[in-house]
Amino acid sequence: MNEEVLIPKMTRQQGKVTRKKIKISFLNLVIVLFCTLLIVGASFVNLDIRHYIIPADLFTNKNLTGADFVFRFFLIPQIPIVMFICSFLGKRMATTSVFLYIMAGLTIAPIFALGGGITYFFEYGCGYILAYLPAVIIAGNLLNKYGFLDMIKATLAGVLTIHLLGILYMVVVALVKQIGSEFIYGWIVSQSGLKIVYDIILSFLLIMFGKYFNKALKFVLE
């Protein structure tokens, strides 16, 4: 077979490879944007959490009602969703999705829970959002094999990174604004108290689901 016969065949094969790469890149973009919208949607969801507690006034003379034995708070499931996206997309694509969410909220639209824009840097909760980036990078590095122990490590590392950096950022903003220690303590209790436990539990469950979504994604892209 001479070169004149081989050249058209090779050209057709190269064309098919190019179209396949373009198709996969477009699919990646769609999935990343969808996950970015998923993070946006999660910021406007409040889960009504209630569970029984032993009230501090149990051994006092205070008359207690049934409400005193129930602890209630609202949980925004954004952190578990971020961990799900990390498990689903992998480190690279998840980082891209989170980065788009942060940049969109700071520059384009008020998609954060309390608004958006450059001035959001001065909000107490901004540190939690900024911490999504290092969290998905750290958790993504731990999810290479998706073993059970790896998923536990990724959950703890991701969730604790977000809360610890979020608390540190809040303390700095509070000190700049000269807010007292009572406010700082109350904020930590309300935003990173018992909520950490729920974030860890939900994040682990969603990371487990994300494992199977990740397998399906790899199958589609191959």
Side-chain angles (χ1 to χ4, degrees):
M1 186 176 292
N2 56 37
E3 293 183 359
E4 293 181 356
V5 177
L6 286 174
I7 290 174
K9 184 177 181 181
M10 292 172 62
T11 303
R12 289 195 299 270
Q13 289 176 343
Q14 290 174 355
K16 289 180 180 179
V17 172
T18 302
R19 287 194 295 271
K20 183 177 181 182
K21 287 183 178 179
I22 294 174
K23 182 179 179 181
I24 291 176
S25 298
F26 178 73
L27 180 59
N28 286 347
L29 177 61
V30 171
I31 294 172
V32 166
L33 291 177
F34 171 77
C35 287
T36 300
L37 293 176
L38 196 61
I39 301 174
V40 174
S43 65
F44 298 100
V45 174
N46 278 325
L47 301 179
D48 190 354
I49 306 295
R50 306 184 188 193
H51 60 84
Y52 291 103
I53 60 170
I54 299 176
D57 297 321
L58 180 62
F59 301 104
T60 65
N61 294 326
K62 181 181 177 180
N63 292 324
L64 301 177
T65 64
D68 294 316
F69 291 87
V70 178
F71 182 79
R72 179 187 183 188
F73 68 92
F74 292 94
L75 176 69
I76 297 175
Q78 196 170 45
I79 292 176
I81 289 297
V82 169
M83 291 295 99
F84 165 75
I85 291 172
C86 178
S87 177
F88 170 33
L89 299 183
K91 182 180 68 175
R92 278 189 176 183
M93 292 175 64
T95 301
T96 303
S97 182
V98 170
F99 178 77
L100 290 175
Y101 167 71
I102 294 174
M103 292 306 298
L106 293 175
T107 60
I108 300 175
I111 57 176
F112 299 148
L114 298 177
I118 296 298
T119 57
Y120 205 86
F121 279 113
F122 300 99
E123 293 289 342
Y124 298 109
C126 184
Y128 289 86
I129 295 174
L130 297 178
Y132 292 166
L133 276 176
V136 295
I137 293 174
I138 294 171
N141 285 330
L142 295 171
L143 285 174
N144 288 328
K145 297 181 180 180
Y146 285 90
F148 186 78
L149 186 59
D150 293 334
M151 290 189 288
I152 292 177
K153 290 179 179 178
T155 301
L156 293 175
V159 173
L160 293 180
T161 294
I162 293 171
H163 279 278
L164 290 176
L165 292 182
I167 291 172
L168 289 175
Y169 192 97
M170 179 275 300
V171 171
V172 171
V173 173
L175 292 176
V176 170
K177 293 183 177 182
Q178 297 182 343
I179 304 297
S181 59
E182 185 176 347
F183 171 84
I184 294 175
Y185 174 76
W187 176 274
I188 293 174
V189 171
S190 63
Q191 300 300 320
S192 292
L194 191 60
K195 289 185 178 181
I196 294 180
V197 177
Y198 284 95
D199 279 337
I200 289 174
I201 294 172
L202 291 176
S203 293
F204 178 73
L205 293 175
L206 289 183
I207 282 177
M208 290 183 66
F209 280 113
K211 170 184 177 180
Y212 299 102
F213 279 90
N214 180 265
K215 288 183 178 180
L217 179 62
K218 288 181 178 179
F219 177 79
V220 171
L221 297 180
E222 286 178 353

